[in-house]
Short mmCIF file of all heavy atoms in Angstrom, two decimals:
data_model
loop_
_atom_site.label_atom_id
_atom_site.label_comp_id
_atom_site.label_asym_id
_atom_site.label_seq_id
_atom_site.Cartn_x
_atom_site.Cartn_y
_atom_site.Cartn_z
N SER A 44 -30.38 -14.57 -21.39
CA SER A 44 -31.85 -14.54 -21.45
C SER A 44 -32.35 -15.79 -22.19
O SER A 44 -31.66 -16.33 -23.05
CB SER A 44 -32.35 -13.28 -22.13
OG SER A 44 -31.91 -13.24 -23.47
N GLU A 45 -33.53 -16.22 -21.81
CA GLU A 45 -34.14 -17.38 -22.45
C GLU A 45 -35.59 -17.05 -22.76
O GLU A 45 -36.32 -16.53 -21.91
CB GLU A 45 -34.08 -18.59 -21.50
CG GLU A 45 -34.65 -19.85 -22.09
CD GLU A 45 -34.52 -21.04 -21.15
OE1 GLU A 45 -33.69 -20.98 -20.22
OE2 GLU A 45 -35.25 -22.01 -21.36
N ASN A 46 -36.01 -17.35 -23.99
CA ASN A 46 -37.40 -17.05 -24.35
C ASN A 46 -38.30 -18.25 -24.03
O ASN A 46 -37.83 -19.29 -23.54
CB ASN A 46 -37.51 -16.61 -25.80
CG ASN A 46 -37.18 -17.71 -26.80
OD1 ASN A 46 -37.09 -18.89 -26.45
ND2 ASN A 46 -37.01 -17.32 -28.05
N ASP A 47 -39.58 -18.12 -24.32
CA ASP A 47 -40.55 -19.17 -24.01
C ASP A 47 -40.29 -20.46 -24.78
O ASP A 47 -40.77 -21.53 -24.38
CB ASP A 47 -41.98 -18.67 -24.31
CG ASP A 47 -42.40 -17.58 -23.34
OD1 ASP A 47 -41.84 -17.53 -22.22
OD2 ASP A 47 -43.28 -16.77 -23.70
N CYS A 48 -39.54 -20.40 -25.86
CA CYS A 48 -39.24 -21.60 -26.66
C CYS A 48 -37.96 -22.28 -26.19
O CYS A 48 -37.54 -23.28 -26.78
CB CYS A 48 -39.12 -21.23 -28.13
SG CYS A 48 -40.64 -20.58 -28.83
N GLY A 49 -37.29 -21.73 -25.19
CA GLY A 49 -36.07 -22.33 -24.67
C GLY A 49 -34.81 -21.86 -25.37
O GLY A 49 -33.72 -22.36 -25.07
N LEU A 50 -34.92 -20.89 -26.30
CA LEU A 50 -33.73 -20.35 -26.97
C LEU A 50 -33.06 -19.33 -26.05
O LEU A 50 -33.72 -18.53 -25.39
CB LEU A 50 -34.12 -19.69 -28.29
CG LEU A 50 -34.75 -20.62 -29.33
CD1 LEU A 50 -35.22 -19.81 -30.51
CD2 LEU A 50 -33.76 -21.69 -29.75
N THR A 51 -31.74 -19.39 -25.99
CA THR A 51 -31.00 -18.47 -25.11
C THR A 51 -30.10 -17.55 -25.91
O THR A 51 -29.69 -17.87 -27.04
CB THR A 51 -30.14 -19.24 -24.09
OG1 THR A 51 -29.17 -20.01 -24.78
CG2 THR A 51 -30.99 -20.14 -23.21
N SER A 52 -29.79 -16.45 -25.31
CA SER A 52 -28.85 -15.47 -25.86
C SER A 52 -28.09 -14.88 -24.68
O SER A 52 -28.61 -14.80 -23.57
CB SER A 52 -29.61 -14.38 -26.61
OG SER A 52 -28.72 -13.42 -27.12
N SER A 53 -26.86 -14.50 -24.91
CA SER A 53 -26.09 -13.91 -23.81
C SER A 53 -25.23 -12.77 -24.32
O SER A 53 -24.93 -12.67 -25.51
CB SER A 53 -25.21 -14.97 -23.13
OG SER A 53 -24.21 -15.42 -24.01
N ALA A 54 -24.86 -11.90 -23.41
CA ALA A 54 -23.96 -10.78 -23.68
C ALA A 54 -23.03 -10.63 -22.49
O ALA A 54 -23.44 -10.85 -21.35
CB ALA A 54 -24.75 -9.50 -23.91
N ILE A 55 -21.80 -10.27 -22.76
CA ILE A 55 -20.80 -10.09 -21.70
C ILE A 55 -20.25 -8.67 -21.80
O ILE A 55 -19.97 -8.18 -22.90
CB ILE A 55 -19.65 -11.12 -21.84
CG1 ILE A 55 -20.19 -12.53 -21.69
CG2 ILE A 55 -18.56 -10.84 -20.81
CD1 ILE A 55 -19.17 -13.61 -21.97
N THR A 56 -20.10 -8.04 -20.65
CA THR A 56 -19.49 -6.72 -20.60
C THR A 56 -18.48 -6.69 -19.45
O THR A 56 -18.52 -7.53 -18.55
CB THR A 56 -20.55 -5.61 -20.44
OG1 THR A 56 -19.92 -4.34 -20.62
CG2 THR A 56 -21.19 -5.65 -19.06
N THR A 57 -17.59 -5.73 -19.48
CA THR A 57 -16.57 -5.57 -18.45
C THR A 57 -16.96 -4.39 -17.55
O THR A 57 -17.33 -3.33 -18.04
CB THR A 57 -15.20 -5.31 -19.08
OG1 THR A 57 -14.90 -6.36 -19.98
CG2 THR A 57 -14.12 -5.22 -18.02
N ILE A 58 -16.86 -4.61 -16.25
CA ILE A 58 -17.15 -3.57 -15.27
C ILE A 58 -15.94 -3.42 -14.35
O ILE A 58 -15.38 -4.41 -13.89
CB ILE A 58 -18.40 -3.91 -14.43
CG1 ILE A 58 -19.63 -3.91 -15.34
CG2 ILE A 58 -18.58 -2.94 -13.28
CD1 ILE A 58 -20.90 -4.32 -14.63
N ARG A 59 -15.56 -2.18 -14.09
CA ARG A 59 -14.46 -1.92 -13.15
C ARG A 59 -15.07 -1.44 -11.85
O ARG A 59 -15.80 -0.44 -11.83
CB ARG A 59 -13.51 -0.87 -13.70
CG ARG A 59 -12.35 -0.61 -12.76
CD ARG A 59 -11.26 0.19 -13.45
NE ARG A 59 -10.10 0.23 -12.61
CZ ARG A 59 -9.79 1.26 -11.82
NH1 ARG A 59 -10.56 2.31 -11.78
NH2 ARG A 59 -8.71 1.23 -11.08
N VAL A 60 -14.77 -2.14 -10.77
CA VAL A 60 -15.22 -1.75 -9.43
C VAL A 60 -14.07 -0.96 -8.80
O VAL A 60 -12.98 -1.50 -8.59
CB VAL A 60 -15.59 -2.98 -8.57
CG1 VAL A 60 -15.96 -2.55 -7.16
CG2 VAL A 60 -16.73 -3.75 -9.22
N ASP A 61 -14.32 0.31 -8.52
CA ASP A 61 -13.30 1.21 -7.99
C ASP A 61 -13.60 1.50 -6.53
O ASP A 61 -14.62 2.10 -6.22
CB ASP A 61 -13.30 2.50 -8.80
CG ASP A 61 -12.27 3.50 -8.32
OD1 ASP A 61 -11.42 3.15 -7.48
OD2 ASP A 61 -12.31 4.65 -8.78
N LYS A 62 -12.70 1.08 -5.66
CA LYS A 62 -12.88 1.32 -4.23
C LYS A 62 -11.73 2.12 -3.62
O LYS A 62 -11.62 2.20 -2.41
CB LYS A 62 -13.03 -0.02 -3.50
CG LYS A 62 -14.32 -0.74 -3.86
CD LYS A 62 -14.54 -1.93 -2.98
CE LYS A 62 -15.90 -2.53 -3.20
NZ LYS A 62 -16.17 -3.63 -2.28
N SER A 63 -10.89 2.68 -4.45
CA SER A 63 -9.75 3.43 -3.92
C SER A 63 -9.85 4.89 -4.35
O SER A 63 -10.31 5.21 -5.44
CB SER A 63 -8.43 2.83 -4.38
OG SER A 63 -8.35 2.88 -5.80
N GLY A 64 -9.40 5.76 -3.46
CA GLY A 64 -9.43 7.18 -3.74
C GLY A 64 -8.29 7.60 -4.65
O GLY A 64 -7.35 6.85 -4.89
N PRO A 65 -8.37 8.81 -5.16
CA PRO A 65 -7.32 9.33 -6.03
C PRO A 65 -5.97 9.42 -5.30
O PRO A 65 -5.92 9.59 -4.08
CB PRO A 65 -7.82 10.74 -6.38
CG PRO A 65 -9.30 10.68 -6.17
CD PRO A 65 -9.50 9.73 -5.02
N SER A 66 -4.89 9.30 -6.06
CA SER A 66 -3.54 9.47 -5.53
C SER A 66 -3.16 10.95 -5.65
O SER A 66 -3.33 11.55 -6.71
CB SER A 66 -2.53 8.62 -6.30
OG SER A 66 -2.83 7.27 -6.15
N LEU A 67 -2.63 11.51 -4.56
CA LEU A 67 -2.32 12.94 -4.52
C LEU A 67 -0.91 13.19 -4.03
O LEU A 67 -0.44 12.50 -3.12
CB LEU A 67 -3.28 13.67 -3.57
CG LEU A 67 -4.78 13.49 -3.80
CD1 LEU A 67 -5.56 14.19 -2.70
CD2 LEU A 67 -5.16 14.02 -5.16
N ALA A 68 -0.26 14.20 -4.58
CA ALA A 68 1.05 14.64 -4.10
C ALA A 68 1.26 16.09 -4.50
O ALA A 68 0.91 16.49 -5.61
CB ALA A 68 2.17 13.78 -4.67
N ILE A 69 1.81 16.89 -3.58
CA ILE A 69 2.28 18.24 -3.89
C ILE A 69 3.79 18.18 -3.75
O ILE A 69 4.31 17.99 -2.65
CB ILE A 69 1.68 19.30 -2.94
CG1 ILE A 69 0.17 19.38 -3.09
CG2 ILE A 69 2.32 20.67 -3.22
CD1 ILE A 69 -0.50 20.32 -2.09
N SER A 70 4.48 18.33 -4.87
CA SER A 70 5.95 18.27 -4.82
C SER A 70 6.57 19.66 -4.67
O SER A 70 7.65 19.79 -4.09
CB SER A 70 6.49 17.57 -6.07
OG SER A 70 6.00 18.19 -7.24
N GLU A 71 5.93 20.68 -5.19
CA GLU A 71 6.40 22.06 -5.08
C GLU A 71 5.21 22.96 -4.85
O GLU A 71 4.19 22.77 -5.49
CB GLU A 71 7.13 22.50 -6.34
CG GLU A 71 8.44 21.80 -6.59
CD GLU A 71 9.52 22.19 -5.60
OE1 GLU A 71 9.47 23.33 -5.08
OE2 GLU A 71 10.39 21.37 -5.33
N PRO A 72 5.32 23.95 -3.99
CA PRO A 72 6.43 24.20 -3.08
C PRO A 72 6.47 23.16 -1.97
O PRO A 72 5.46 22.54 -1.63
CB PRO A 72 6.13 25.59 -2.51
CG PRO A 72 4.67 25.80 -2.72
CD PRO A 72 4.25 24.96 -3.86
N VAL A 73 7.64 22.98 -1.42
CA VAL A 73 7.85 22.02 -0.34
C VAL A 73 7.10 22.50 0.90
O VAL A 73 7.12 23.70 1.22
CB VAL A 73 9.36 21.88 -0.06
CG1 VAL A 73 9.60 20.96 1.12
CG2 VAL A 73 10.09 21.39 -1.29
N THR A 74 6.45 21.58 1.57
CA THR A 74 5.69 21.95 2.77
C THR A 74 6.59 22.64 3.78
O THR A 74 7.76 22.29 3.93
CB THR A 74 4.99 20.72 3.39
OG1 THR A 74 4.09 21.17 4.41
CG2 THR A 74 5.97 19.74 3.97
N GLY A 75 6.05 23.66 4.43
CA GLY A 75 6.82 24.42 5.41
C GLY A 75 7.61 25.56 4.82
O GLY A 75 8.21 26.34 5.57
N SER A 76 7.65 25.69 3.50
CA SER A 76 8.45 26.74 2.90
C SER A 76 7.74 28.09 2.91
O SER A 76 6.53 28.18 3.13
CB SER A 76 8.85 26.36 1.47
OG SER A 76 7.71 26.21 0.66
#
Side-chain angles (χ1 to χ4, degrees):
S44 63
E45 182 177 341
N46 66 13
D47 292 336
C48 297
L50 298 174
T51 62
S52 179
S53 67
I55 298 173
T56 190
T57 304
I58 294 177
R59 181 167 189 261
V60 176
D61 180 9
K62 293 189 172 184
S63 61
S66 297
L67 306 176
I69 297 175
S70 54
E71 293 290 332
V73 176
T74 189
S76 62

